[in-house]
Amino acid sequence: GAVVSQHPSRVICKSGTSVKIECRSLDFQATTMFWYRQFPKQSLMLMATSNEGSKATYEQGVEKDKFLINHASLTLSTLTVTSAHPEDSSFYICSARDLSGGQSDEQYFGPGTRLTVT
Amino acid sequence: KQEVTQIPAALSVPEGENLVLNCSFTDSAIYNLQWFRQDPGKGLTSLLLIQSSQREQTSGRLNASLDKSSGRSTLYIAASQPGDSATYLCAAPKGGFQKLVFGTGTRLLVSP
């Protein structure tokens, strides 16, 4: 099956620093990847759609200058949390669509990255 | 605007019981609906994807149904096991078939 990886799985950083999270589709190409955020005991909320070769589109209320997204290749998207603050502490999960198979609408999710800002 | 709701929020059952998890969505113009499982502190595992043209999908002890007209989907788990303990999330697309809106989840505990 389609596999999506994320790196790192867990990161702790100081307030004011920037953190980069990678999302990779390991065995398929993904022109579109999605970034979600999940606060404790809450569901996933879509942050942005990452499009290979073009600018990401952000959901309402998500600051594009704070959450920088780069989708440089068909297998890699990165999310950079700039000038992180404690309120950015969350579980960040990416997903990707595998267009090569018949289930073209199915999204495969990465294992998530736990970000803690101190 | 798509809104997804799941009931119950939590469910505790003894091993061996059959159970039903409910998901409702407000925008019935969907291409598909997807059910996921999430273990504590982990990412999502896709369980079942139901296309809008289908009414049911089955995988092992899991069966998911979709009724677009009523805006409902159910996930049926047969002969539950302690290993089924997790949070179950349903997700429906909004504004097309890509962006997913997730429900609040049902936290399931199956006791031995």
Side-chain angles (χ1 to χ4, degrees), chain A residues 2-101:
Chain A
V3 178
V4 176
S5 70
Q6 280 185 243
H7 178 79
S9 59
R10 188 181 296 268
V11 58
I12 300 173
C13 71
K14 292 186 177 180
S15 185
T17 61
S18 295
V19 174
K20 179 185 286 188
I21 302 170
E22 294 185 350
C23 175
R24 293 182 185 272
S25 55
L26 297 185
D27 49 3
F28 65 98
Q29 293 184 332
T31 55
T32 304
M33 292 183 174
F34 302 91
W35 287 96
Y36 295 82
R37 179 167 54 183
Q38 185 179 35
F39 291 108
K41 298 190 184 302
Q42 295 186 24
S43 195
L44 279 75
M45 296 294 292
L46 179 65
M47 298 175 65
T49 303
S50 173
N51 304 296
E52 188 270 336
S54 64
K55 290 182 179 180
T57 55
Y58 292 80
E59 295 301 300
Q60 190 173 10
V62 178
E63 299 176 57
K64 62 179 181 180
D65 295 330
K66 181 169 185 62
F67 299 99
L68 301 180
I69 291 173
N70 185 283
H71 196 150
S73 76
L74 289 172
T75 59
L76 173 64
S77 174
T78 60
L79 169 68
T80 301
V81 183
T82 62
S83 186
H85 291 285
E87 57 265 31
D88 298 323
S89 298
S90 186
F91 193 50
Y92 292 86
I93 306 178
C94 71
S95 72
R97 295 173 62 220
D98 180 2
L99 300 178
S100 62

Side-chain angles (χ1 to χ4, degrees), chain B residues 28-58:
Chain B
S28 61
I30 59 173
Y31 288 81
N32 58 58
L33 185 137
Q34 203 164 348
W35 282 91
F36 298 89
R37 167 186 173 139
Q38 185 175 32
D39 291 287
K42 305 292 185 181
L44 302 183
T45 299
S46 178
L47 297 175
L48 289 164
L49 170 72
I50 313 176
Q51 300 291 352
S52 60
S53 57
Q54 300 172 318
R55 291 189 63 84
E56 283 189 7
Q57 272 283 19
T58 298

